[in-house]
């Protein structure tokens, strides 16, 4: 399931370094100058999930397959991007294709790494980027309103219905308010408009506070200001040191945990970002566990059993009969499928069953 998280931020804030660490491959150039990333880098990133290892210890499969997310490293934006400054609208379109935005914000001082604005100020940096996203949405919406107005004059009913919501949304944007706070966002007309326009300011945003090594254990002033801003805007902050995360790419799991412990943190910032991004996309996992493979399958929350089966193969949905379901906790507690069956912990579920995160499933079907 290819759902994208776009990495954005001003030039030289650590986006490409973060991307390198996320993908566990040094395939995004990092350099101390603006616009070193001139094409969007895309990569598929496994979602860390300790439950798969626990299942594998019981089943002893030939391989383990994790759920994945698409991450897109987008060139640094600058003031005026919505009008074509810097690398301009091309990269705003790259963001539009993402479902969630990870905004990397520089929260450390280093005289050897230049900043396009000449100083470190995370709130200013956020406002620069988010203003450009807002202006881009306004320009796109104004163009759409012009088109709808012409159609409405020709008595196009759909155009008339959408024109009203589009004009109300433009008024909302003109107050410097993002699409995500628009009061009529639950209306069918808005949903249709947003589906077509893919407004940048309608997307979920996670702030990645990029700190130096000293900033990992204790929040510095920059991080404190960022967290206060995030609370006021109903967003989340995940702290990381992109440089250290990139250094840990080649570490095995034991070395990685030793490094994190020495830094006074219990979990990698990037692992937190991946998990949080997965959740923000409205995704969850169910498992299949056999001797060939233990696998995590990605579905949207509130998915029915037949739709979940279709992720494996469309024929599974077409010929769905029922699903054999064991919760992850029961599968582990009873040492596998047979033990869970003997303990009466396996259930047969029908077409209306809503799959739960961590269900271990086997589908019965007939085509």
């Amino acid at each position: 399931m290819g759902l994208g998280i776009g990495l954005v931020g001003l030039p030289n804030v650590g986006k490409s370094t973060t991307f390198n660490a996320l993908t566990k491959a040094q395939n995004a150039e990092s350099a101390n100058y603006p616009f070193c990333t001139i094409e969007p880098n895309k990569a598929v990133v496994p979602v860390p999930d300790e439950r798969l290892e626990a299942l594998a210890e019981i089943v002893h499969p030939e391989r383990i397959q994790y759920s994945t997310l698409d991450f897109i490293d987008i060139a640094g934006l600058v003031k005026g991007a919505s009008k074509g400054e810097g690398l301009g609208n091309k990269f705003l379109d790259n963001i539009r294709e993402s479902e969630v935005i990870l905004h990397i914000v520089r929260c450390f001082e280093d005289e050897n790494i230049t900043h396009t604005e000449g100083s470190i100020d995370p709130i200013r940096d956020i406002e620069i980027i988010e203003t450009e996203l807002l202006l881009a949405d306004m320009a796109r919406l104004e163009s759409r309103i012009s088109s709808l107005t012409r159609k409405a004059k020709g008595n196009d009913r759909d155009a008339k219905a959408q024109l009203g919501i589009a004009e109300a949304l433009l008024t909302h944007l003109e107050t410097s308010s993002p699409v995500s706070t628009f009061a009529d966002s639950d209306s069918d007309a808005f949903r249709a408009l947003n589906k077509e326009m893919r407004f940048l300011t309608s997307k979920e945003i996670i702030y990645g506070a990029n700190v130096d090594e000293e900033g990992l254990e204790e929040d510095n002033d920059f991080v404190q200001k960022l967290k206060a801003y995030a609370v006021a805007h109903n967003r989340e902050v995940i702290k990381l040191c992109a440089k250290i995360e990139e250094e840990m790419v080649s570490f095995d799991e034991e070395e990685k945990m030793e490094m994190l412990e020495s830094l006074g943190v219990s979990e990698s910032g990037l692992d937190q970002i991946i998990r949080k991004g997965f959740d923000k996309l409205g995704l969850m996992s169910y498992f299949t566990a056999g001797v060939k493979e233990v696998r995590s399958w990605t579905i949207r929350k509130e998915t029915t059993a037949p739709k979940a089966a279709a992720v494996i193969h469309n024929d599974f949905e077409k010929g769905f009969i029922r699903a054999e379901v064991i919760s992850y906790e029961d599968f582990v507690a009873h040492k596998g499928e047979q033990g869970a069956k003997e303990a009466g912990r396996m259930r047969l579920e029908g077409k209306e069953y809503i799959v739960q995160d961590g269900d271990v499933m086997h589908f019965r079907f007939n085509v």
Side-chain angles (χ1 to χ4, degrees), residues 7 18-19 21-22 24 45 48 71 102 104 206-211 216 236-246 248 253 256-257 259-261 263-278:
L7 279 70
T18 301
F19 182 80
L22 272 166
K24 302 189 185 302
V45 181
F71 278 85
L102 172 61
I104 303 297
I206 303 169
Y207 296 127
N210 187 18
V211 300
L216 274 177
E236 297 186 56
V237 176
I238 295 175
K239 189 168 62 172
L240 73 153
C241 177
K243 181 179 179 182
I244 289 176
E245 296 282 356
E246 188 178 31
M248 291 194 296
E253 195 60 29
K256 180 179 173 181
M257 293 311 298
M259 170 67 85
L260 293 173
E261 185 177 344
L263 295 169
V265 293
S266 59
E267 184 180 19
S268 160
L270 295 182
D271 285 352
Q272 295 177 58
I273 285 170
I274 297 168
R275 270 196 277 269
K276 181 57 65 176
F278 197 70

Side-chain angles (χ1 to χ4, degrees), residues 104-225:
I104 303 297
V105 184
R106 181 168 164 180
C107 293
F108 67 92
E109 297 270 14
D110 188 334
E111 61 183 16
N112 295 314
I113 302 177
T114 60
H115 192 293
T116 56
E117 296 300 313
S119 63
I120 309 303
D121 184 341
I123 308 307
R124 178 205 58 207
D125 292 357
I126 286 172
E127 290 175 348
I128 288 173
I129 295 295
E130 295 187 2
T131 295
E132 293 305 319
L133 302 185
L134 189 88
L135 291 172
D137 278 349
M138 289 176 64
R140 191 173 174 88
L141 185 58
E142 286 168 350
S143 177
R144 180 60 177 160
I145 287 173
S146 295
S147 174
L148 289 170
T149 300
R150 290 193 297 271
K151 291 179 180 179
K153 287 178 180 178
N155 290 320
D156 184 317
R157 290 184 180 181
D158 291 339
K160 286 181 178 180
Q162 203 172 83
L163 179 59
I165 201 76
E167 289 175 334
L169 179 57
L170 181 59
T171 298
H172 175 78
L173 292 174
E174 287 172 341
T175 67
S176 298
S177 301
V179 172
S180 60
T181 62
F182 183 54
D184 292 331
S185 60
D186 288 334
S187 68
D188 291 339
F190 172 81
R191 289 195 185 99
L193 183 65
N194 191 33
K195 183 177 180 180
E196 178 183 352
M197 305 295 287
R198 299 180 67 84
F199 293 113
L200 300 172
T201 62
S202 69
K203 301 177 185 299
E204 289 270 11
I205 295 178
I206 303 169
Y207 296 127
N210 187 18
V211 300
D212 54 18
E213 186 173 329
E214 289 73 23
L216 274 177
E217 188 168 7
E218 185 175 344
D219 291 350
N220 60 33
D221 290 343
F222 300 129
V223 174
Q224 290 177 28
K225 290 177 181 178

Side-chain angles (χ1 to χ4, degrees), residues 35 38 74-96 132-133 136 200:
F35 310 127
I38 58 174
I74 297 163
L77 299 173
V78 294
K79 286 180 182 177
S82 60
K83 297 179 181 178
E85 294 295 328
L87 294 169
N89 282 317
K90 175 181 179 182
F91 293 94
L92 291 173
D93 288 339
N94 295 141
I95 303 169
R96 206 177 303 281
E132 293 305 319
L133 302 185
L200 300 172

